[in-house]
């Protein structure tokens, strides 16, 4: 998929942002074109080669009307997670890397439920916070909500 300057897109591991520019850069002797993406959460600048944007998982942000439906969907998720910490961590990381919003929501819901029942390890707590940041960054950008408004809506959606 190709993008243009000003497009609002999502990087699966960094969250939603806006393409500030498309620039050519020489790295290791190879000239390539890069999307230069500004991610407001964390004030981060990410460069992704234009020819590998599909492999990285860049995608357009959700449409504004999808955000409300998506928050409603989160409340309906019935998480199924393995008891084995190592396997659960790998499965959740794979879901986050996919960039699929439903997968990200399943990770958030599953870890939130697990946290309320048994608590989380430090690694899983970091994963939960990262997954929430990724989702919140997209909701904020698609809805023009403040971070606090989006966070409140997400927490409400996660309540049993």
């Amino acid at each position: 998929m190709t993008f243009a300057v000003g497009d609002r897109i999502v990087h699966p591991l960094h969250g939603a942002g806006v393409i500030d520019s498309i620039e050519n850069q020489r790295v290791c002797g190879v000239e390539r074109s890069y999307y230069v993406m500004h991610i407001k959460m964390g004030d981060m600048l990410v460069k992704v080669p234009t020819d590998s944007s599909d492999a990285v998982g860049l995608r357009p942000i959700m449409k504004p009307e999808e955000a409300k439906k998506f928050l409603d969907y989160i409340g309906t998720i019935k998480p199924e997670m393995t008891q084995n910490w190592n396997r659960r961590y790998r499965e959740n990381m794979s879901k986050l890397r996919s960039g699929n919003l439903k997968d990200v929501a399943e990770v958030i819901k599953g870890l939130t439920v697990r946290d309320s029942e048994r608590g989380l390890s430090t690694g899983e707590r970091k994963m939960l916070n990262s997954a929430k940041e990724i989702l919140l960054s997209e909701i904020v950008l698609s809805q023009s909500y403040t971070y606090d408004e989006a966070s409140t809506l997400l927490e409400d959606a996660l309540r049993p």
Side-chain angles (χ1 to χ4, degrees), residues 38-153:
H38 180 246
I39 299 175
K40 292 188 191 236
M41 303 282 240
D43 197 28
M44 188 181 344
L45 198 63
V46 177
K47 292 183 179 184
V48 178
T50 58
D51 59 357
S52 63
S53 63
D54 287 339
V56 168
L58 291 185
R59 63 172 175 76
I61 65 168
M62 69 175 94
K63 292 177 175 60
E65 60 274 8
E66 293 173 327
K68 171 78 171 103
K69 290 178 188 173
F70 190 75
L71 288 167
D72 291 340
Y73 164 75
I74 289 174
T76 67
I77 296 172
K78 304 282 188 244
E80 294 178 23
M81 292 192 159
T82 180
Q83 295 300 315
N84 181 292
W85 181 90
N86 223 359
R87 179 182 287 161
R88 186 174 61 244
Y89 188 87
R90 283 194 313 268
E91 287 172 357
N92 284 338
M93 194 53 125
S94 177
K95 287 180 179 182
L96 290 179
R97 283 190 184 116
S98 77
N100 181 308
L101 267 179
K102 289 185 177 185
D103 287 347
V104 173
E106 287 175 12
V107 170
I108 293 169
K109 182 73 177 246
L111 291 177
T112 299
V113 168
R114 183 160 185 88
D115 189 26
S116 68
E117 293 173 352
R118 297 191 175 123
L120 296 175
S121 67
T122 303
E124 284 184 311
R125 184 159 312 284
K126 284 182 182 179
M127 180 181 283
L128 174 59
N129 291 335
S130 176
K132 282 182 177 180
E133 292 294 317
I134 289 166
L135 179 59
L136 287 172
S137 70
E138 186 165 358
I139 291 171
V140 164
L141 209 54
S142 76
Q143 289 290 317
S144 300
Y145 287 138
T146 66
Y147 178 83
D148 290 338
E149 289 170 332
S151 184
T152 299
L153 289 170

